[in-house]
Amino acid sequence: KNQVEQSPQSLIILEGKNCTLQCNYTVSPFSNLRWYKQDTGRGPVSLTIMTFSENTKSNGRYTATLDADTKQSSLHITASQLSDSASYICVVRGSGTYKYIFGTGTRLKVLA
Amino acid sequence: EAGVTQFPSHSVIEKGQTVTLRCDPISGHDNLYWYRRVMGKEIKFLLHFVKESKQDESGMPNNRFLAERTGGTYSTLKVQPAELEDSGVYFCASSQGGRGDTYEQYFGPGTRLTVT
């Protein structure tokens, strides 16, 4: 069964600190992996999209890594801000399909 | 440019009733997706349209769910008759056409459906 698992489920950090969220997947064959940010009551918003050949991609203070061999990805947030409080969702798409498999997300809370 | 819009934002209906959710994708986006998130679970794929054609409806839970995309523009998702387990947030997303694997997918704000 194709799955996407994320850890931790939730995380609390102080403003200004860094954090790293993890994503492991078993989707095969693999096409691409996406990280989304979802604020409460809103739809997910794309942060990064990575294909098989990419192992790092940045979007401002967000940096995603991908190891397609071990089927692992991480999202690193630098110098966190209060507005980073949200759920972060890892999504994997298999090759030859438009079907996206979602993780359950990591709920991040940034405290002042 | 307007984003993906969904209507209504909330719907509360009784078991056995019918509800129709609407999604207006970003203009010009051929790909339209429906997803659902039930309480405490991950977002799950329901189906995918390319223009007016259903490409993959493998995620539709059962035949109480009917999705249409008239003329390849807006889409509706009808639940008839609704059951308690249909409660959740229904998201719509759209992306550009073509076979590109890395097209951005833009999500609407979702419709929260509560079946009582």
Side-chain angles (χ1 to χ4, degrees), chain A residues 49-96:
Chain A
I49 302 172
M50 300 177 72
T51 61
F52 185 91
S53 59
E54 298 171 294
N55 52 30
T56 302
K57 185 165 275 192
S58 292
N59 177 1
R61 295 179 297 102
Y62 301 101
T63 299
T65 66
L66 173 65
D67 185 334
D69 291 331
T70 61
K71 294 185 170 57
Q72 296 179 324
S73 176
S74 67
L75 180 69
H76 186 76
I77 304 175
T78 304
S80 60
Q81 300 176 356
L82 297 178
S83 58
D84 292 333
S85 295
S87 286
Y88 291 83
I89 305 172
C90 176
V91 183
V92 179
R93 176 177 153 184
S95 180

Side-chain angles (χ1 to χ4, degrees), chain A residues 6-108:
Chain A
Q6 294 185 242
S7 63
Q9 276 191 324
S10 61
L11 184 62
I12 300 175
I13 62 174
L14 293 177
E15 187 179 16
K17 298 297 186 182
N18 304 336
C19 67
T20 300
L21 315 180
Q22 301 291 340
C23 173
N24 295 339
Y25 63 93
T26 60
V27 178
S28 182
F30 170 84
S31 173
N32 61 77
L33 183 146
R34 300 158 185 244
W35 282 94
Y36 286 88
K37 177 186 179 187
Q38 185 176 19
D39 294 310
T40 301
R42 306 198 133 190
V45 174
S46 179
L47 295 175
T48 62
I49 302 172
M50 300 177 72
T51 61
F52 185 91
S53 59
E54 298 171 294
N55 52 30
T56 302
K57 185 165 275 192
S58 292
N59 177 1
R61 295 179 297 102
Y62 301 101
T63 299
T65 66
L66 173 65
D67 185 334
D69 291 331
T70 61
K71 294 185 170 57
Q72 296 179 324
S73 176
S74 67
L75 180 69
H76 186 76
I77 304 175
T78 304
S80 60
Q81 300 176 356
L82 297 178
S83 58
D84 292 333
S85 295
S87 286
Y88 291 83
I89 305 172
C90 176
V91 183
V92 179
R93 176 177 153 184
S95 180
T97 175
Y98 279 82
K99 192 170 179 177
Y100 293 82
I101 310 297
F102 287 68
T104 52
T106 292
R107 187 179 298 274
L108 174 67

